[in-house]
Every structure is written in structure tokens, then in C-alpha cells.
């Protein structure tokens, strides 16, 4: 256990790449001990090693957030290593954004995958957070600007993220007596490795053009909002879906 009993501790799922990794870096830079969770142990270890080399405190662990036992083990590890949990950032999600199809043509197996990871996985992580977090902390989930934009072809993905928004707002009310804030961050098109994969230049240009600044967001820009919500400056923000999309239309 860390010698500094006052150190705040964060669990970051999906923390080995993209927005999750940038969030873990920022939180560690702000003095939190960070448990970096990834589906792949090697990637989690690499992220934790990078954070540690930069002067932070981090531990990597592999866990599938759609597996209940794995989620319980993740929180067990955070508590046994650092003595408690103050911030939970659930950045892990199913990569359903790349699977566009109309509702009429939807393969229900895809819907089931989205449900298992995005809805059930988020619920299980938040459930463990609600049971175990120290008072005064912050829970941050992830939605998407696609819910607000109501784009054809994204029915299943938007439905899974819309469920997260509804669930997040209810959890905020349930946690209020413990001074724990609960918010959802809803990024617009963001230049993560996962988002860029499989998209040609014309597609990316079209997505960038939807924002008045005519560009994609960066993972670091989204992570800045996460760090704000996790820290004292953002603690009066509660029960909100924060659109971080550059004004995307």
C-alpha cells in the first residue's frame, strides 16, 4: 500500500490507448495513483510503465469490463494496492461506431455485443464504484455526440450510449448523499487510433467539416474535461452529459 494515505486513487478502464490513456496520464500528472485497465495485460503494463517513467504512480491490469468477475477483481486490486478508490473513469467501450446499419438491417448479434460491453459493462463498473468508492469522489462515464446528432445508421450504437446517459443521471442522484459526482462525457469525432481505423481521407474530412473549427478533436482535449470533472474545480458539476465536440453539427 502506498505510504501516502492521503493520495487520491483513480481507476481508468480503457486506459491503455486513446482518450483513456490521455486521461490516465493527466490524472497521474495531477498526483493521483492510477490503476490502468485494458483488455490486454501487456498494453495495460506498457501504459503504466510510461506513466511511472514520467514521474507518476500507476499499475496496469488486464480485465474485460463485460466480465463481472474481472470487474470485481479490478476493484479488489485497486483497493489492496492503494487503500481505496476516489475516481473511476470508464473509458472502455465497444467499438460499435464503425458498424453503421439501419435498424431494419441490424444484425441482432451486434446489438447484443453493444449491450454487453457498453450497457452491462458500464453498469457493472459503476456498481462496483458505488459500493466501494470513498466519499467525495467522482465517477465519469462515456457517451457520444452521435446520440445528440441522431445520425441514420447509428441506431444500435446510439441506443447503447443513450442508455449510459440515462443511467448516469440517475446514479448521480443516488450518490449525492456521499458527495460523489457522476457525469458522462460525450465526445464528438476524435482522432483516436480506433476512430481513424478503416476510414479514408474523404470520410475523415467530411467528419472534420461537421465541426465549425473544421477538424477532429484530440484525445488530450477530451482528457482535459475528464481531469476537470475528477478534480476539485469540477466538483460542483454533477448529473450532466458534457458535450465535448467542438460544436459539431
Amino acid at each position: 500500500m502506498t505510504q501516502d494515505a492521503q493520495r487520491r486513487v483513480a481507476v481508468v478502464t480503457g486506459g491503455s490507448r486513446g482518450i483513456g490513456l490521455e486521461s490516465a496520464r493527466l490524472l497521474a500528472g495531477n498526483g493521483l495513483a492510477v490503476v490502468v485497465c485494458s483488455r490486454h495485460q501487456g498494453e495495460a503494463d506498457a501504459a503504466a510503465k510510461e506513466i511511472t517513467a514520467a514521474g507518476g504512480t500507476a499499475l496496469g491490469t488486464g480485465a474485460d469490463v463485460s466480465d463481472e468477475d474481472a470487474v470485481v477483481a479490478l476493484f479488489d486490486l485497486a483497493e489492496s494496492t492503494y487503500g481505496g478508490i476516489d475516481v473511476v473513469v470508464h473509458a472502455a467501450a465497444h467499438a460499435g461506431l464503425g458498424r453503421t446499419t439501419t435498424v431494419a438491417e441490424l444484425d441482432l448479434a451486434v446489438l447484443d455485443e453493444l449491450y454487453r460491453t457498453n450497457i452491462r459493462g458500464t453498469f457493472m463498473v459503476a456498481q462496483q464504484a458505488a459500493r466501494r468508492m470513498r466519499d467525495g469522489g467522482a465517477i465519469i462515464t462515456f457517451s457520444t455526440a452521435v446520440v445528440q446528432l441522431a445520425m441514420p445508421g447509428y441506431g444500435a450504437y446510439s441506443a447503447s450510449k443513450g442508455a449510459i446517459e440515462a443511467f448516469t443521471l440517475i446514479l448521480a442522484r443516488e450518490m449525492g448523499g456521499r458527495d460523489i459526482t457522476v457525469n458522462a462525457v460525450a465526445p464528438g469525432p476524435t482522432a483516436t487510433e480506433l476512430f481513424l481505423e478503416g476510414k479514408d481521407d474523404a470520410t475523415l474530412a467530411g467528419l472534420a467539416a461537421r465541426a465549425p473549427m473544421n477538424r477532429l478533436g484530440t484525445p488530450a482535449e477530451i482528457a482535459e474535461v475528464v481531469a476537470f470533472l475528477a478534480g476539485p474545480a469540477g466538483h460542483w458539476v454533477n448529473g450532466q452529459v458534457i458535450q465535448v465536440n467542438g460544436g459539431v453539427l
Side-chain angles (χ1 to χ4, degrees):
M1 184 181 297
T2 178
Q3 293 180 350
D4 182 4
Q6 301 305 310
R7 182 191 293 274
R8 297 178 77 224
V9 178
V11 171
V12 182
T13 70
S16 66
R17 60 174 66 185
I19 295 167
L21 176 57
E22 291 292 346
S23 297
R25 287 170 175 159
L26 266 180
L27 293 173
N30 289 342
L32 282 74
V34 180
V35 178
V36 178
C37 172
S38 171
R39 184 184 292 267
H40 305 290
Q41 181 71 52
E43 293 183 3
D45 288 340
K49 183 177 179 179
E50 175 195 319
I51 290 169
T52 302
T57 300
L59 170 69
T61 186
D64 179 353
V65 297
S66 67
D67 182 315
E68 184 177 4
D69 291 338
V71 172
V72 170
L74 166 63
F75 280 79
D76 286 344
L77 178 65
E79 287 184 323
S80 64
T81 303
Y82 296 120
I85 302 166
D86 303 282
V87 174
V88 172
V89 179
H90 183 51
H94 191 282
L97 190 57
R99 299 186 183 185
T100 59
T101 181
T102 64
V103 171
E105 297 173 342
L106 175 66
D107 181 347
L108 292 180
V110 172
L111 183 66
D112 290 342
E113 290 177 20
L114 286 164
Y115 171 85
R116 181 170 177 80
T117 300
N118 287 358
I119 302 177
R120 190 172 187 271
T122 300
F123 190 97
M124 289 190 297
V125 169
Q127 184 177 64
Q128 289 300 312
R131 291 173 177 175
R132 303 195 194 210
M133 283 178 61
R134 292 184 286 217
D135 291 357
I139 300 171
I140 300 158
T141 64
F142 273 82
S143 181
T144 171
V146 173
V147 174
Q148 185 182 49
L149 295 172
M151 296 166 61
Y154 292 92
Y157 183 74
S158 295
S160 72
K161 290 296 191 174
I164 290 173
E165 291 187 6
F167 159 75
T168 296
L169 303 188
I170 291 170
L171 183 61
R173 286 149 180 76
E174 294 177 351
M175 301 300 290
R178 293 173 52 192
D179 193 32
I180 293 174
T181 62
V182 190
N183 293 285
V185 173
T190 305
T192 64
E193 179 182 344
L194 188 61
F195 180 83
L196 297 175
E197 184 179 332
K199 295 182 176 69
D200 59 26
D201 290 344
T203 298
L204 293 173
L207 290 166
R210 296 189 69 125
M213 290 180 279
N214 198 37
R215 67 172 177 85
L216 301 177
T218 68
E221 288 172 321
I222 311 302
E224 289 284 0
V225 177
V226 171
F228 169 74
L229 293 172
H235 201 64
W236 192 235
V237 180
N238 189 29
Q240 304 298 313
V241 178
I242 311 296
Q243 298 287 334
V244 191
N245 60 28
V248 66
L249 304 173

